[in-house]
Amino acid sequence: MKEINPHDTTRSYAFELWMKAPMPMVTFFKTLDVSRLVRFSRKKRLKFNMLMCWCIGKAATQVKEFYTLPVGDRLIQYDSIAVNTIVANKNGEVSSCDILFSDDFAKFGADYIRLTGQVAETCDNHDLTDSMVIGTSALAKFDIDGAVGMYSGIFNNPFMIWGKYRKHWFKTTLTVSFQFHHTQMDGAHAAHFLELLQKEIMELKIHDI
């Protein structure tokens, strides 16, 4: 990762406009068709949340704006993307776990299982500081319509939240919220990412996993 001059990027105007805004975060909601993920999760005995995180990372790597992030008063460029998941630890609390995204699902899946297991047992967060991290929080036991993330003024990372998926006659849906810093991307970039996420879910093949 390295610091870059915002004025040498396509985010120059956004940097000037939003870096000092009292609330620079924007949240989108989208209902996804996750029938394929649910089916594969059951057939392959894989965690649904792990499949979601992989699809999120795969979609994000196709949007160049994800590789830059405002950190403090600087704009930082990253070479890699990671996906964060919240883990229930052995003390009955929650810990944070960053998993480096790999286009190879077998590698990502193995890292996901190993690292979340490690975090659950040790209760120590696993943080990656040299990757652009997409935060996620899965409230899988609860039927919620949506959630807006908290803006701390410290972490500007994009963040996704979802609850329990909903079963219908012919498909299963999941409503997600996606929060992003307006300096990092515009609404069109965020909407494109969510479209790519749906595409990756729909095109996921059994041999991919």
Side-chain angles (χ1 to χ4, degrees), residues 11 14 18 21 23-30 63 65-66 68-70 132-135 147-151 155-161 177-194:
R11 305 308 299 158
W18 295 106
M23 181 53 190
M25 311 302 284
V26 181
T27 301
F28 282 8
F29 292 89
K30 186 176 179 65
V63 181
E65 282 73 20
F66 274 91
T68 59
L69 183 73
M132 205 299 299
V133 180
I134 303 168
V148 177
M150 177 190 71
Y151 175 56
F155 299 108
N156 296 328
N157 301 63
F159 200 88
M160 297 192 72
I161 304 173
S177 71
F178 175 54
Q179 178 179 273
F180 59 95
H181 197 292
H182 215 329
T183 297
Q184 184 179 28
M185 66 183 76
D186 296 325
H189 302 126
H192 180 50
F193 159 69
L194 292 172

Side-chain angles (χ1 to χ4, degrees), residues 66-115:
F66 274 91
Y67 287 90
T68 59
L69 183 73
V71 178
D73 59 356
R74 304 176 299 158
L75 193 63
I76 304 297
Q77 185 177 65
Y78 296 86
D79 295 324
S80 59
I81 286 175
V83 182
N84 167 274
T85 188
I86 301 301
V87 179
N89 64 40
K90 69 176 184 180
N91 291 336
E93 304 295 336
V94 295
S95 299
S96 175
C97 183
D98 296 343
I99 302 103
L100 184 67
F101 176 75
S102 171
D103 197 54
D104 180 347
F105 178 81
K107 182 179 184 332
F108 179 85
D111 288 344
Y112 182 101
I113 296 299
R114 175 177 57 84
L115 291 171

Side-chain angles (χ1 to χ4, degrees), residues 22 28 43 50 58 70-71 75 78 88 91 93 120 131 135-136 138 141 146 156 171 175 196 199 203:
F28 282 8
K43 187 171 184 177
M50 179 171 65
K58 193 164 177 63
V71 178
L75 193 63
Y78 296 86
N91 291 336
E93 304 295 336
S131 296
T136 74
K141 295 181 180 179
N156 296 328
K171 65 180 179 180
T175 299
L196 287 170
K199 178 175 177 286
E203 294 184 353

